[in-house]
């Protein structure tokens, strides 16, 4: 096993490396790589390495015997555990590389790695992103293990909304803070677009865009129904949906049933290079986030930050941490969840508004969601926690 010790070593722990939607983890990983030696440990297979290139990844997948062990532990009241073989492997990785701090992403990952962090006396930081502070809170075993985790770890909440939930669960105010995910602004340049009012006057096509996986909480159904209503007033509009997921076919069928398939383009999966190009050529960004039937909620969707960084007017919902990003009628537009009529009206307002939404949206990202600012803040947090442990 290669020893890595040229700089203080930070271990990033995730159950998977990395789902395509987890750009925020990769960006944070890179943002601290100058001052720290970063390794990644994962308890599952390595995914999307071409999309998120990184060399120092230590993976130990669970064996069939380990699955039986994990099933036994779950049946006896534990939410998430590593198998004995995984514990041994990761223990050696952490000790051999003299890891000074572990940063786990998502509550279940924190619960898995916490016993090893305690055993080795390594400080643990856990970032809570969304479902780990929403739908999982209906699981009694998760809540019990989470409360134990909150005692040992330092917690980062990606929104004030999540922060308040963790405080209510007993998080120590001295060991928790809001730390936003951010955007690399050099990858999402501000785009000065043709005024929508001019396109409207010249009867040019007005392009709405949504980029997200097709999951319930992304609200595609409500976006489509609102867009269908919009077409009755402005038929020179087009909706582009980029992404893939379990509800893709259902949404395609809904397009057919609404008889708007000729006005909706379903792109399927898009890579990160394609995202900016799509935003660059669009006029308005939409993202109708909802709380699912199981209680799943967003953090603050990074893709909304990216759209605002390019100067796109964004229409979204009063959902979870999104109002911390969008100030209604100032740097974007917000409506209530599942409010189809309200979302249609917001689309019309975005088309007809003469407000300077674009510049104000960009300034919001530059000020509060800028990785050039957030990266050094995370560096300082790591240093402080390591120093306090010594």
């Amino acid at each position: 096993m290669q020893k890595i010790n040229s700089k203080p070593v930070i271990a990033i722990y995730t159950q998977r490396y990395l789902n395509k939607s987890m750009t925020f983890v990769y960006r944070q990983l890179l943002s601290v790589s100058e001052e720290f030696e970063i390794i990644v440990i994962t308890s599952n297979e390595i995914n999307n390495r071409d999309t998120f290139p990184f060399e120092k990844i230590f993976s130990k997948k669970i064996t069939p015997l380990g699955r039986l062990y994990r099933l036994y532990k779950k049946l006896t009241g534990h939410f998430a555990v590593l198998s004995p073989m995984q514990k041994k492997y990761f223990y050696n990785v952490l000790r051999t590389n003299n890891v000074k701090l572990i940063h786990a992403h998502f509550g279940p990952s924190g619960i898995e790695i916490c016993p090893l962090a305690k055993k080795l006396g390594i400080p643990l930081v856990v970032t809570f992103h969304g479902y780990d502070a929403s739908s999982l809170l209906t699981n009694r075993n998760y809540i019990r293990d989470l409360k134990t985790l909150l005692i040992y770890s330092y917690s980062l909440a990606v929104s004030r909304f999540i922060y308040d939930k963790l405080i209510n669960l007993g998080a120590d105010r001295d060991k928790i803070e809001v730390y936003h995910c951010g955007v690399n602004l050099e990858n999402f340049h501000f785009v000065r677009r043709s005024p929508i009012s001019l396109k409207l006057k010249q009867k040019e096509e007005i392009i709405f865009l949504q980029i997200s996986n097709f999951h319930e909480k992304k609200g595609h159904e409500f976006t489509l129904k609102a867009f269908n209503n919009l077409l009755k007033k402005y038929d020179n509009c087009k909706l582009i949906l980029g992404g893939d997921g379990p509800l893709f076919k259902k949404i395609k069928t809904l397009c057919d049933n609404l008889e708007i398939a000729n006005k909706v383009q379903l792109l399927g999966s898009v890579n990160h290079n394609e995202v900016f190009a799509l935003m660059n050529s669009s006029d308005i960004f939409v993202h109708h986030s909802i709380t699912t039937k199981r209680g799943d909620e967003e953090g603050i969707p990074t893709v909304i930050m990216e759209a605002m960084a390019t100067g796109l007017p964004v229409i979204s919902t009063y959902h979870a941490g999104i109002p911390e990003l969008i100030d209604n009628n100032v740097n974007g537009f917000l409506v209530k969840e599942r409010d189809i009529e309200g979302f249609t009206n917001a689309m019309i307002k975005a088309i007809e508004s003469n407000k300077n939404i674009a510049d104000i949206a960009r300034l919001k990202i530059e000020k509060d969601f800028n990785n050039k600012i957030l990266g050094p803040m995370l560096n300082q947090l790591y240093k402080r926690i390591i120093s306090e442990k010594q």
Side-chain angles (χ1 to χ4, degrees):
M1 187 177 294
Q2 183 183 2
K3 189 175 181 180
I4 303 167
N5 58 6
S6 58
K7 293 182 280 191
V9 181
I10 304 293
I12 307 298
Y13 181 68
T14 64
Q15 290 178 315
R16 290 172 181 81
Y17 185 96
L18 282 170
N19 294 341
K20 287 185 178 180
S21 62
M22 293 169 68
T23 54
F24 46 86
V25 175
Y26 187 66
R27 287 172 183 166
Q28 280 191 15
L29 182 157
L30 296 181
S31 72
V32 295
S33 292
E34 287 190 14
E35 295 199 39
F36 296 94
E37 195 74 45
I38 304 299
I39 67 173
V40 174
I41 55 178
T42 177
S43 58
N44 213 305
E45 60 188 36
I46 299 171
N47 298 310
N48 303 308
R49 203 164 192 166
D50 291 340
T51 304
F52 305 115
F54 196 74
E55 292 300 320
K56 301 160 189 172
I57 305 175
F58 299 89
S59 173
K60 188 66 173 178
K61 292 168 59 177
I62 195 165
T63 64
L65 185 60
R67 292 183 188 280
L68 287 174
Y69 171 83
R70 188 168 64 183
L71 177 60
Y72 165 75
K73 297 297 284 186
K74 286 188 175 183
L75 289 173
T76 55
H78 296 272
F79 179 80
V81 295
L82 296 171
S83 73
M85 287 185 66
Q86 288 175 316
K87 289 178 185 176
K88 182 178 179 180
Y89 177 77
F90 293 138
Y91 178 90
N92 289 333
V93 170
L94 294 168
R95 188 180 61 176
T96 301
N97 290 291
N98 194 25
V99 169
K100 299 298 184 182
L101 180 144
I102 302 169
H103 187 169
H105 285 274
F106 298 96
S109 297
I111 289 170
E112 280 190 353
I113 204 66
C114 188
L116 278 182
K118 285 182 177 179
K119 186 174 182 178
L120 289 163
I122 300 173
L124 173 63
V125 175
V126 182
T127 297
F128 293 84
H129 292 278
Y131 85 100
D132 49 358
S134 57
S135 59
L136 285 185
L137 297 183
T138 61
N139 186 304
R140 287 181 297 178
N141 293 336
Y142 176 72
I143 291 177
R144 187 199 63 199
D145 289 352
L146 177 60
K147 288 181 176 180
T148 300
L149 173 66
L150 292 174
I151 292 171
Y152 183 79
S153 70
Y154 194 98
S155 301
L156 298 180
V158 300
S159 68
R160 185 76 192 188
F161 182 81
I162 290 176
Y163 173 95
D164 290 340
K165 285 194 171 188
L166 295 175
I167 289 293
N168 289 336
L169 285 167
D172 185 342
R173 292 182 184 274
D174 292 331
K175 295 176 62 181
I176 183 173
E177 63 182 89
V178 176
Y179 181 82
H180 294 133
C181 293
V183 175
N184 291 339
L185 294 181
E186 59 270 24
N187 296 333
F188 289 89
H189 308 291
F190 182 82
V191 178
R192 185 65 67 186
R193 298 169 176 82
S194 298
I196 297 176
S197 58
L198 179 62
K199 297 184 76 172
L200 188 62
K201 183 178 179 180
Q202 297 177 345
K203 297 184 178 180
E204 296 179 22
E205 189 173 60
I206 297 169
I207 300 175
F208 289 78
L209 174 68
Q210 178 168 350
I211 298 173
S212 64
N213 291 329
F214 283 70
H215 291 282
E216 183 186 354
K217 68 181 175 181
K218 303 300 182 179
H220 289 87
E221 172 188 349
F222 303 97
T223 298
L224 272 183
K225 290 177 179 177
F227 182 71
N228 179 49
N229 292 339
L230 174 70
L231 291 173
K232 296 170 185 175
K233 180 167 185 176
Y234 293 118
D235 64 359
N236 59 323
C237 294
K238 176 181 179 180
L239 174 62
I240 298 175
L241 300 177
D244 206 346
L247 297 182
F248 184 89
K249 289 183 179 179
K250 179 180 178 181
I251 296 303
K252 186 177 185 302
T253 299
L254 180 58
C255 288
D256 295 335
N257 292 342
L258 293 172
E259 298 182 346
I260 58 172
N262 63 322
K263 291 288 188 176
V264 179
Q265 185 178 2
L266 295 163
L267 297 179
S269 181
V270 294
N271 64 43
H272 300 296
N273 293 328
E274 294 169 324
V275 170
F276 176 74
L278 287 165
M279 290 180 175
N280 187 11
S281 59
S282 298
D283 299 296
I284 298 165
F285 194 84
V286 289
H287 201 286
H288 194 122
S289 295
I290 64 169
T291 304
T292 71
K293 296 180 181 68
R294 296 180 60 189
D296 192 9
E297 294 169 318
E298 306 263 22
I300 303 179
T302 307
V303 71
I304 295 180
M305 304 174 200
E306 294 168 347
M308 291 174 68
T310 73
L312 271 175
V314 175
I315 306 170
S316 192
T317 54
Y318 288 103
H319 171 86
I322 293 174
E324 299 169 40
L325 174 64
I326 298 176
D327 187 1
N328 187 36
N329 290 320
V330 177
N331 62 3
F333 304 93
L334 294 176
V335 304
K336 294 179 181 179
E337 294 183 26
R338 295 178 169 85
D339 182 357
I340 296 169
E341 182 180 356
F343 210 75
T344 302
N345 291 336
M347 288 175 161
I348 294 170
K349 188 182 292 185
I351 290 173
E352 297 177 349
S353 176
N354 291 318
K355 290 186 176 181
N356 187 21
I357 297 291
D359 292 280
I360 301 172
R362 172 71 183 198
L363 286 173
K364 177 67 173 181
I365 303 304
E366 289 180 352
K367 179 177 179 290
D368 296 330
F369 297 88
N370 183 350
N371 270 350
K372 281 194 173 179
I373 297 173
L374 293 169
M377 288 172 59
L378 189 58
N379 275 326
Q380 291 304 312
L381 176 66
Y382 285 171
K383 290 176 182 177
R384 175 165 62 84
I385 294 174
I386 292 171
S387 176
E388 289 172 354
K389 188 67 178 180
Q390 291 175 343

